[in-house]
Amino acid sequence: MHMHVCAPAELGPPTAYLSATIAADAEELAQTRRAVRGWLAASGLTDAADSAVLLMNELATNVQQHAPGPARLRLFLRPGTLRCEVLDTHRTRPVLVNADTDAERGRGLRLVDTLALCWGSVPAGRGKAVWFELPLPRAARGAPTQ
């Protein structure tokens, strides 16, 4: 496992920021995925959108399955880095497991661990934030902050 902390303070202020509610409804989650893809495209990051949306969806799905209740998605764009955070109201932190290839659950964090530059979880408010970071081309421009 390559979990190491990439603290926001080390990365400098974001050039763009997106925040959205994560709904329990599958159609609303699909709308959130489309919004994230559009925001990344507006930032000049169409090539990174597939990986970012895939991993964001894994974290959002984990929240829906293991930490029902209010949850938020936050994306921070910095030169060379995209940070995605999913915040919920449950303190139980995610655990990386070795799931069989035919298992219905348990592969989401393994995917995050494989594709992300780094990931982890930290206490946040009454719950936690689970996050990952992806490397990006330095030429990406900032999208409007939402």
Side-chain angles (χ1 to χ4, degrees):
M1 179 169 24
H2 63 273
M3 264 178 63
H4 67 275
V5 176
C6 301
E10 296 172 7
L11 300 172
T15 57
Y17 171 79
L18 175 72
S19 179
T21 300
I22 295 176
D25 177 82
E27 179 54 36
E28 289 183 48
L29 184 54
Q31 291 174 2
T32 302
R33 287 192 301 269
R34 287 190 293 272
V36 168
R37 190 174 294 281
W39 182 78
L40 291 168
S43 300
L45 297 170
T46 303
D47 291 346
D50 288 342
S51 293
V53 171
L54 173 67
L55 298 186
M56 177 278 303
N57 191 68
E58 290 298 332
L59 295 187
T61 301
N62 280 352
V63 164
Q64 289 176 333
Q65 292 175 351
H66 304 293
R72 295 222 39 95
L73 167 72
R74 297 191 309 191
L75 296 169
F76 303 90
L77 183 61
R78 294 180 174 88
T81 307
L82 172 70
R83 183 179 179 101
C84 174
E85 297 178 349
V86 173
L87 298 94
D88 64 51
T89 57
H90 293 257
R91 292 244 183 232
T92 304
R93 295 173 69 171
V95 177
L96 190 64
V97 297
N98 290 318
D100 292 332
T101 55
D102 58 349
E104 288 185 29
R105 294 184 177 181
R107 292 186 308 271
L109 278 181
R110 181 66 57 193
L111 188 61
V112 172
D113 188 63
T114 300
L115 297 179
L117 176 65
C118 51
W119 72 276
S121 65
V122 294
R126 294 175 295 147
K128 67 180 172 303
V130 182
W131 57 270
F132 68 82
E133 291 185 357
L134 290 174
L136 299 173
R138 291 270 174 189
R141 62 186 182 279
T145 299
Q146 297 182 3

